[in-house]
Amino acid sequence: METDYADGKAAGNKIPAAAGRAGLGALARELLRDRWLYLMALPGVLYFIVFKYVPMYGLVMAFQDYKPHLGFLDSPWAGLKHFRRFFGEPAFWSLFNNTVLLAVYNLIFFFPLPIVLALMLNEVRQERFKRWVQTMVYIPHFVSWVVVVGIFYMLLTTEGGVINELIFALTGEKIAFLLEPGWFRTMIVSQSIWKEVGWGTIIFLAALAGVDMQLYEAARMDGANRWRQLWHITLPAIRSTIVILLILRLGSFLDSGFEHIFLMLTPTNRDVGEVFDTYVYMKGLTQAQYSYSAAVGLFKSAVGLILVLGANWLAKRFGEEGVY
């Protein structure tokens, strides 16, 4: 009996080891079979590792009085000193207000437009015209913000700008779009729409391409017009895509786009145009306050993480898939 028990115990020890070796062998065969797919994914994986994960080590600066000559390991610890300073700054609420307002405006006015444009393009039946429109709305995405701001400057400046000259011909007055604070947020959102709304349609058009055409045929047989088909078939088909992109959008809620805002800032609109991104640049690079600017950046990232987690939880509660 004892011998049988010992033999069974020894056999039991061999089974997990054999199963482990079989699992590793299956994994190796799978990697070998799909080696070209993994090879294609390798540049993207390396990009995220090098530029997204490795730099996270630098967040330790937010809790230090970082000195470049001492490095991360020898710089003295400061705890929450820089966060307390940031939240106590008189400019904090102004920065927060400016950043949140721009984010809300983009969410309200910019986010729905790629969906609307994709739905409109999906209804076009002439393929040549559809491809031409797609090309025209995609092109601005490849134009740098420097060029975009330059184009708007030439159109809106009071010194010979086309739009201002037209307004002057009609009303006898000119509007200082580039200098008046009240026009700043309108121009920022308008430029974002012009530059990126076409590019944002790509994902929604791809989602629309997967809709079963038999659903439309059945709806037409039941007497549904184009609006009914849009409401009851098209929109439900891309609803999960809309929810996922909205959740991801909330992750960068406080990212206003440094280059865009920085190029549009002037001494007259700085009170409404200064956001966290430009503030980090001013404090971190121009004034060499590395730890303080790292604390501001970490605050932004923490807010984005909370928004993503909260939005994903709400999506799950309402029956959507979410991002995880």
Side-chain angles (χ1 to χ4, degrees):
M1 291 293 293
E2 292 180 358
T3 304
D4 293 342
Y5 175 77
D7 293 342
K9 185 176 180 181
N13 289 336
K14 292 178 181 178
I15 290 174
R21 287 193 296 271
L24 290 175
L27 178 62
R29 287 192 298 272
E30 182 180 348
L31 291 174
L32 184 62
R33 183 190 64 199
D34 299 327
R35 59 188 180 278
W36 297 115
L37 294 177
Y38 290 114
L39 188 62
M40 290 175 61
L42 185 60
V45 173
L46 290 176
Y47 168 81
F48 278 95
I49 291 174
V50 174
F51 294 104
K52 301 296 182 181
Y53 287 96
V54 173
M56 289 179 68
Y57 179 69
L59 293 176
V60 72
M61 284 195 301
F63 306 96
Q64 294 178 325
D65 284 326
Y66 177 73
K67 308 295 181 185
H69 64 281
L70 295 177
F72 293 124
L73 298 178
D74 297 324
S75 294
W77 289 96
L80 300 177
K81 166 187 169 183
H82 302 293
F83 293 95
R84 288 194 294 267
R85 174 191 165 190
F86 176 53
F87 296 136
E89 285 277 0
F92 172 75
W93 288 111
S94 175
L95 293 168
F96 187 81
N97 180 66
N98 294 341
T99 306
V100 169
L101 278 178
L102 275 177
V104 170
Y105 289 164
N106 276 312
L107 201 60
I108 294 174
F109 297 107
F110 173 75
F111 182 77
L113 286 180
I115 304 171
V116 174
L117 183 57
L119 294 174
M120 293 173 65
L121 288 172
N122 190 58
E123 295 297 319
V124 175
R125 293 296 175 258
Q126 296 183 2
E127 287 298 323
R128 291 184 63 182
F129 177 72
K130 181 179 179 179
R131 288 196 295 269
W132 180 82
V133 172
Q134 286 179 282
T135 302
M136 291 299 102
V137 296
Y138 292 166
I139 286 175
H141 170 77
F142 301 99
V143 180
S144 71
W145 278 117
V146 176
V147 177
V148 172
V149 172
I151 292 172
F152 272 73
Y153 178 85
M154 290 188 293
L155 292 174
L156 299 174
T157 181
T158 56
E159 304 297 330
V162 175
I163 294 178
N164 252 313
E165 290 298 324
L166 180 61
I167 293 173
F168 181 77
L170 296 174
T171 65
E173 297 180 355
K174 293 185 178 182
I175 302 175
F177 293 103
L178 301 172
L179 299 178
E180 291 185 9
W183 286 100
F184 180 81
R185 297 187 182 106
T186 302
M187 288 193 297
I188 292 294
V189 176
S190 300
Q191 291 166 4
S192 297
I193 290 173
W194 180 78
K195 187 176 187 296
E196 300 294 348
V197 71
W199 189 254
T201 63
I202 292 177
I203 295 177
F204 296 109
L205 286 172
L208 290 170
V211 180
D212 189 354
M213 299 305 295
Q214 294 181 357
L215 296 174
Y216 293 105
E217 294 175 5
R220 283 193 293 269
M221 292 179 64
D222 290 338
N225 58 25
R226 299 291 282 271
W227 288 106
R228 288 288 184 181
Q229 294 173 37
L230 175 67
W231 184 258
H232 293 288
I233 299 175
T234 308
L235 284 176
I238 63 172
R239 183 176 60 190
S240 59
T241 303
I242 295 173
V243 170
I244 290 173
L245 290 179
L246 178 60
I247 294 172
L248 296 176
R249 179 82 179 182
L250 290 175
S252 58
F253 186 73
L254 295 183
D255 292 333
S256 304
F258 163 74
E259 184 182 5
H260 186 194
I261 303 296
F262 183 75
L263 291 168
M264 290 295 296
L265 280 180
T266 64
T268 58
N269 62 27
R270 187 170 290 276
D271 288 341
V272 298
E274 189 81 78
V275 294
F276 289 131
D277 292 329
T278 55
Y279 185 72
V280 167
Y281 167 79
M282 181 183 68
K283 294 294 183 181
L285 294 181
T286 65
Q287 299 181 13
Q289 299 182 31
Y290 303 114
S291 293
Y292 180 66
S293 59
V296 178
L298 182 57
F299 165 75
K300 280 180 47 191
S301 301
V303 172
L305 176 62
I306 292 170
L307 289 174
V308 166
L309 295 176
N312 192 77
W313 178 80
L314 284 175
K316 291 290 187 67
R317 288 295 301 270
F318 285 99
E320 298 297 331
E321 294 182 3
V323 294
Y324 63 89

